[in-house]
Amino acid sequence: MFLQSIMASTDDSDATLTDAARYTWSSWVIFVIFASLTGDSIILIASVKYKAFKLHKVIVTIIQHVALCDLYSTTYTLVNVVSLITNRNINRYFCYMAFWTTYQGVIVSVNLICAMSVSKLILLKFPLKSASWSGRFTHRFCAVIWMASHLLPALHILVDKEGVSFDHRIHQCMYQYTSEIGKLLLLVTTQLALLVPNLISNIATLLLLGEARKGAKKMNRGLRRQGLITVIITATIYTLSYLPFAIYCTVYLIDLAREETVGSEQFYIYYYRVASNLVYLNIITNFFVYTLTVRSFRRWLKTKLFNFKGEASETRTGGSAGGSSNCRTKTIPPVSQHEHTFV
């Protein structure tokens, strides 16, 4: 088949990176890992321990699970960076692990973003009916998403475990849908597990934009819009980061079905590399989105940063000698526990 020849070509010089390209790519992935570990850890600490997100408890709970999913996704980026630096294939068992975490992470992520958009829309449209929603209920719902996400990678391996192989184009372990049953799996993956939640999320986001325009005049000083804007920006960034990869999957699916090449060899190598790396934007941007849109989180960050600078200054000046250091230090009050929670 024509696609098998294209996949085989990823082992030759057409898919081989120069040392400069590998190190540049490695630097980008290392930055993604560092940004995710730092940003998502701060999000979890701020939301769980310090209650720094003064949003609806349902949205805060989903934000926590999104941050956890991003941290989980760094496991396959670690495999990616090791392969890039060493310029070697991944061990077979690590290959299965990378494949599993990649597919599970993508499925969990898209469904959490969908749940965030839809739940925000329901909270706005039916505030009385959704008043009974609790953080515990949302945790249970997200747990179902996490558990169900194991089914698809498990199905792939049960059907054809040899389908998991190292892909030299992106230095990752992926599933090659070249068999007849593989075509069906690809259809299930792209349509049911990815396309449908994305479509629902996009529709909900568009409806939220309409709600934002209608309610702009009613919302006093934009306070109640914090959660709305946060959800809209988060869902939009997710869609944009996955859009190039979705285009690749669509062309790939068409080529498999027609057994005729729509995408060129350059498309299957170079475009695929770019699209796969743009997905990482979804992992690293949430911290900056929340800092920009959630006032209570931004205030908490300023408080912690100010206190850290104050402690560092005291350390350099030898403590609070004569009380002068303490007199000069001004503390910002912490995020009020009695601050209103906004839908």
Side-chain angles (χ1 to χ4, degrees):
M1 292 175 59
F2 75 100
L3 278 177
Q4 289 177 329
S5 63
I6 290 178
M7 298 307 168
S9 70
T10 60
D11 291 332
D12 61 24
S13 58
D14 290 338
T16 302
L17 294 166
T18 63
D19 288 343
R22 283 193 302 105
Y23 294 141
T24 302
W25 193 350
S26 301
S27 301
W28 158 246
V29 180
I30 290 173
F31 168 75
V32 170
I33 294 172
F34 175 78
S36 176
L37 291 176
T38 304
D40 291 309
S41 297
I42 292 175
I43 291 170
L44 287 173
I45 293 172
S47 62
V48 175
K49 182 177 180 180
Y50 294 97
K51 313 298 181 184
F53 285 80
K54 299 305 175 182
L55 303 172
H56 195 281
K57 50 195 172 185
V58 171
I59 302 301
V60 174
T61 303
I62 297 177
I63 285 175
Q64 292 169 356
H65 281 270
V66 170
L68 187 63
C69 180
D70 290 343
L71 287 173
Y72 178 74
S73 297
T74 58
T75 55
Y76 67 78
T77 58
L78 285 171
V79 174
N80 192 191
V81 74
V82 168
S83 173
L84 284 167
I85 293 175
T86 60
N87 198 24
R88 294 180 180 178
N89 293 5
I90 301 299
N91 178 277
R92 188 69 177 173
Y93 296 103
F94 283 106
C95 208
Y96 282 120
M97 182 194 74
F99 160 76
W100 193 289
T101 55
T102 300
Y103 273 63
Q104 185 185 14
V106 171
I107 294 170
V108 171
S109 180
V110 66
N111 282 279
L112 286 177
I113 297 298
C114 179
M116 180 186 291
S117 301
V118 173
S119 62
K120 183 62 183 177
L121 184 62
I122 295 175
L123 290 171
L124 289 175
K125 289 286 190 179
F126 310 101
L128 295 180
K129 292 183 179 180
S130 58
S132 60
W133 288 4
S134 64
R136 179 175 296 181
F137 168 79
T138 311
H139 277 301
R140 290 174 178 172
F141 179 80
C142 292
V144 172
I145 294 177
W146 280 95
M147 290 186 291
S149 65
H150 287 285
L151 297 177
L152 197 57
L155 180 62
H156 280 69
I157 293 178
L158 288 174
V159 169
D160 182 14
K161 66 178 182 179
E162 299 302 323
V164 180
S165 61
F166 184 79
D167 194 333
H168 288 77
R169 297 172 297 171
I170 59 173
H171 282 258
Q172 268 287 9
C173 293
M174 303 297 290
Y175 197 89
Q176 307 300 338
Y177 299 93
T178 53
S179 64
E180 290 301 320
I181 191 65
K183 296 178 184 179
L184 180 60
L185 283 176
L186 179 60
L187 182 63
V188 172
T189 302
T190 56
Q191 302 299 319
L192 297 181
L194 299 178
L195 182 60
V196 172
N198 257 313
L199 184 61
I200 295 174
S201 178
N202 291 336
I203 293 174
T205 303
L206 291 175
L207 293 175
L208 287 173
L209 285 171
E211 291 294 321
R213 292 185 61 183
K214 290 191 298 184
K217 297 180 180 179
K218 301 179 182 178
M219 295 179 182
N220 182 29
R221 292 176 297 176
L223 290 178
R224 289 175 58 85
R225 287 189 295 169
Q226 288 186 88
L228 182 60
I229 295 173
T230 300
V231 172
I232 290 174
I233 295 179
T234 302
T236 302
I237 291 177
Y238 180 89
T239 299
L240 293 177
S241 65
Y242 270 91
L243 182 60
F245 189 76
I247 293 173
Y248 169 84
C249 291
T250 302
V251 174
Y252 187 28
L253 182 60
I254 293 173
D255 283 353
L256 279 176
R258 297 175 56 188
E259 298 190 5
E260 297 178 7
T261 178
V262 174
S264 64
E265 188 170 333
Q266 287 72 27
F267 173 84
Y268 277 106
I269 296 177
Y270 302 110
Y271 178 86
Y272 183 39
R273 280 176 179 166
V274 174
S276 297
N277 279 274
L278 287 177
V279 170
Y280 291 149
L281 292 176
N282 174 65
I283 297 178
I284 65 177
T285 55
N286 287 336
F287 171 81
F288 303 102
V289 171
Y290 304 150
T291 303
L292 177 66
T293 60
V294 184
R295 183 194 304 177
S296 58
F297 179 58
R298 186 166 62 248
R299 185 181 179 186
W300 177 83
L301 286 174
K302 289 180 179 178
T303 302
K304 292 300 178 182
L305 181 61
F306 187 89
N307 291 341
F308 175 78
K309 288 183 176 179
E311 293 175 0
S313 176
E314 287 186 6
T315 302
R316 288 197 300 269
T317 56
S320 55
S324 59
S325 177
N326 286 337
C327 293
R328 290 194 300 269
T329 302
K330 179 181 177 182
T331 59
I332 299 176
V335 178
S336 174
Q337 297 296 324
H338 303 288
E339 186 177 336
H340 294 294
T341 299
F342 303 108
V343 178

